[in-house]
Amino acid sequence: MYGRDDLRTTLAPARSGRVPTAFKKASYALFTGTEPQDASALSRDWYARGQTMIVAYSEAEAGAVFDRADQVDEYAVVLPDEGAELLIEIPEGGETVSGRAIAFVPGGRSRITVVKGGRLLRLFTTRSADLAAKCSNAAAYAEPDPNVAPYAAWPDPVGGRKVRVYSGNVAPQEGRFGRIYRGSTIMVNFGDGRVGPRSPDNLSPHHHDDFEQYSIALDGDYVHHLRWPWISDSTRWIDDDHERIAAPSVAVIPPPAIHTSQGMAPGLNRLLDVFCPPRRDFSLKPGWVLNADDYPMPADDQETGA
């Protein structure tokens, strides 16, 4: 069902075998034009969640500080635009992050200081209960999604505790899908987007058996098209969804809904697709995960030679 020449047609099949008996609807959150969950003189911060992950979107000025005193696990920080700069510090040392970039920050104590203002995303698992409680759509996950597999972190990175920083400007390469980075908790596909509306005759509807997709719209606006399968219990059928939402925003797409996102703006339409925990099928493709040497796959995949 993918679009023409879509490299995802080469992905390994899923291993789930789950048969759904009920479904969850998608959840959407708009990050501007609504009141932020946190606000100060230097930062406005919005929070939204799915079953496994929290998206914290901030518009911050120089001098803003984001502290985590006792973070339960690794989290990711994304600078989506050129011009912004951060200093990320942990007890073992610090790293400067600038331009389009992604950083993975180990659990424990950490501090982010904004050196040059701009937009930033912090991506946490929902094990960070204090942040999960802030989310604008927290009520939507009072009951868990029965189709999302239980969360399990991937192995720790090679080389011990440090802030790991990767450029978001790696050039495209034939045969490689997107610009994918993974940590032990989260995977990010750092895309460039496209200018102008996406052609309605070349969309890429597909589904995931047992994990969510977090489609974070950074620029433009999108229609997120979703369709759920029919099961024997017709009282649990869900109508098709064609949600139009402007950037910046997030769509939490549940399994096993068939979905595709269609950019609609005449200018740049750009998505950041995020998964928690990392995707096995993307990770099995040689060369697709740009920092694979730093973050091992789980032992069962290593033992099979993946």
Side-chain angles (χ1 to χ4, degrees), residues 16-77:
S16 171
R18 291 167 176 261
V19 177
T21 57
F23 303 107
K24 203 169 190 69
K25 293 183 178 180
S27 186
Y28 305 95
L30 189 64
F31 293 141
T32 57
T34 61
E35 286 299 311
Q37 281 70 58
D38 283 336
S40 69
L42 297 176
S43 180
R44 290 161 54 84
D45 315 308
W46 291 259
Y47 298 84
R49 64 164 291 178
Q51 180 150 312
T52 61
M53 198 185 81
I54 299 162
V55 178
Y57 172 87
S58 297
E59 296 175 350
E61 299 180 23
V65 173
F66 301 92
D67 274 322
R68 297 297 291 165
D70 192 18
Q71 173 61 28
V72 66
D73 53 11
E74 185 180 74
Y75 67 100
V77 180

Side-chain angles (χ1 to χ4, degrees), residues 44-306:
R44 290 161 54 84
D45 315 308
W46 291 259
Y47 298 84
R49 64 164 291 178
Q51 180 150 312
T52 61
M53 198 185 81
I54 299 162
V55 178
Y57 172 87
S58 297
E59 296 175 350
E61 299 180 23
V65 173
F66 301 92
D67 274 322
R68 297 297 291 165
D70 192 18
Q71 173 61 28
V72 66
D73 53 11
E74 185 180 74
Y75 67 100
V77 180
V78 178
L79 284 181
D81 309 309
E82 301 291 351
E85 184 176 313
L86 309 174
L87 174 63
I88 304 179
E89 298 172 287
I90 62 173
E92 291 80 2
E95 292 286 343
T96 297
V97 186
S98 60
R100 292 178 55 179
I102 179 168
F104 293 99
V105 185
R109 183 159 56 90
S110 62
R111 166 171 286 197
I112 301 170
T113 303
V114 179
V115 179
K116 296 179 182 177
R119 303 191 293 177
L120 68 143
L121 292 156
R122 291 170 294 143
L123 308 172
F124 301 88
T125 74
T126 49
R127 294 183 67 206
S128 294
D130 61 321
L131 301 181
K134 293 177 181 281
C135 292
S136 61
N137 62 342
Y141 294 90
E143 292 293 329
D145 187 330
N147 301 312
V148 174
Y151 170 79
W154 281 30
D156 290 337
V158 175
R161 287 178 50 85
K162 61 182 177 180
V163 178
R164 291 167 171 83
V165 181
Y166 306 97
S167 171
N169 288 319
V170 175
Q173 179 178 316
E174 186 175 353
R176 191 189 77 219
F177 179 70
R179 190 181 291 111
I180 300 170
Y181 303 91
R182 71 170 180 245
S184 63
T185 59
I186 286 165
M187 172 180 278
V188 177
N189 186 2
F190 208 130
D192 293 316
R194 69 182 80 196
V195 175
R198 186 175 184 179
S199 174
D201 69 352
N202 191 24
L203 302 181
S204 54
H206 61 286
H207 80 282
H208 310 302
D209 281 350
D210 61 1
F211 61 87
E212 301 166 305
Q213 177 170 316
Y214 295 74
S215 287
I216 303 170
L218 296 170
D219 299 288
D221 70 284
Y222 282 84
V223 175
H224 299 289
H225 302 283
L226 288 90
R227 170 169 288 181
W228 286 260
W230 285 0
I231 56 176
S232 58
D233 184 353
S234 65
T235 66
R236 294 182 178 272
W237 292 356
I238 296 179
D239 291 337
D240 289 357
D241 188 2
H242 304 279
E243 182 78 14
R244 184 160 184 167
I245 187 168
S249 59
V250 62
V252 183
I253 299 169
I258 298 169
H259 59 278
T260 187
S261 296
Q262 183 179 9
M264 303 298 291
L268 179 63
N269 296 284
R270 181 166 55 125
L271 283 177
L272 192 79
D273 282 334
V274 185
F275 308 92
C276 173
R279 285 179 64 160
R280 174 181 178 272
D281 54 355
F282 279 4
S283 296
L284 288 172
K285 295 294 290 182
W288 279 27
V289 178
L290 295 176
N291 65 338
D293 289 344
D294 293 342
Y295 282 91
M297 291 188 69
D300 57 344
D301 288 313
Q302 295 175 33
E303 290 168 1
T304 59

